[in-house]
């Protein structure tokens, strides 16, 4: 195991999700109502549907942390359920961090496919990171990719490498987007998930 991967494993998923939360929640809070129909870097989602998708990830992956079963068969319209959706998202994201911080959350397997629990939690971390960037780009915001994000990026480099073959074959990830020589770790992550990190 390389040093960076080892360092990433020294951080708990709860710690890493807390870092991602501190960047995602302000982006979601700042999404204006008039931007809900705007396109996003995810071709299948406008802003509202992407918020609803991310909201569902945040809720359903709490169950997976507790070794329960998730349900992604439908996507509830949590944005349409009331004007307090931004605060509800923040509260559920707090619960996600708490769920993956609980003793035993990272141990064993989770979900219907019985994948390693840490990898499953890494999927939630990936969505909370890259979809927050998607929403920031779609609504003219900056995503805070500072030094504190580095352990998250180290964890996600391994997560994406493990998930990519299946994710690409099923259309979850688009083909990698080339990035500039000397690109940052965050730009490389975005490129590996099929995003153009230089999109404006």
């Amino acid at each position: 195991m390389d040093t960076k991967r080892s360092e990433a494993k020294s951080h708990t998923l709860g710690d890493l999700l807390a870092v991602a939360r501190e960047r995602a929640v302000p982006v979601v809070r700042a999404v204006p109502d008039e931007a809900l129909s705007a396109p996003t870097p995810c071709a299948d989602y406008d802003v509202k549907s992407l918020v609803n998708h991310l909201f569902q990830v945040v809720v359903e992956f709490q169950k997976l942390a507790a070794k329960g079963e998730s349900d992604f068969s439908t996507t509830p319209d949590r944005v349409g359920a009331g004007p307090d959706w931004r605060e509800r998202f923040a509260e559920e994201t707090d619960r996600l961090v708490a769920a993956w911080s609980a003793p035993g959350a990272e141990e064993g397997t989770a979900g219907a496919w019985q994948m390693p629990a840490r990898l499953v939690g890494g999927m939630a971390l990936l969505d909370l990171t890259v979809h927050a960037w998607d929403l920031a780009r779609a609504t003219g915001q900056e995503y805070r990719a500072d030094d504190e994000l580095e352990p998250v990026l180290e964890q996600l480099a391994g997560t994406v490498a493990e998930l990519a073959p299946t994710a690409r074959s099923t259309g979850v990830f688009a083909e990698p987007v080339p990035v500039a020589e000397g690109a940052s770790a965050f730009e490389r992550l975005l490129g590996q998930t099929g995003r153009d990190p230089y999109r404006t």
Side-chain angles (χ1 to χ4, degrees), residues 132-181:
W133 179 87
D134 291 331
L135 290 169
R137 274 292 185 271
T139 57
Q141 300 183 57
E142 289 295 323
Y143 181 88
R144 183 158 59 95
D146 53 15
D147 290 346
E148 290 181 15
L149 195 64
E150 187 172 331
V152 172
L153 299 177
E154 290 167 5
Q155 173 68 35
L156 291 181
T159 301
V160 170
E162 196 160 349
L163 295 175
T166 300
R168 290 202 180 101
S169 68
T170 57
V172 175
F173 290 174
E175 288 303 307
V177 172
V179 296
E181 187 175 345

Side-chain angles (χ1 to χ4, degrees), residues 53-111:
H53 168 70
L54 185 55
F55 215 137
Q56 184 180 28
V57 167
V58 165
V59 169
E60 295 300 320
F61 274 80
Q62 295 172 40
K63 301 174 186 176
L64 292 168
K67 306 299 188 286
E69 291 299 329
S70 60
D71 181 6
F72 286 92
S73 58
T74 60
T75 303
D77 182 9
R78 292 183 168 93
V79 172
D84 63 339
W85 59 267
R86 296 169 184 85
E87 289 310 310
R88 284 186 280 114
F89 176 82
E91 291 165 3
E92 292 294 353
T93 309
D94 283 342
R95 293 188 182 103
L96 177 72
V97 173
W100 284 97
S101 299
E106 296 185 37
E107 297 171 8
T109 59

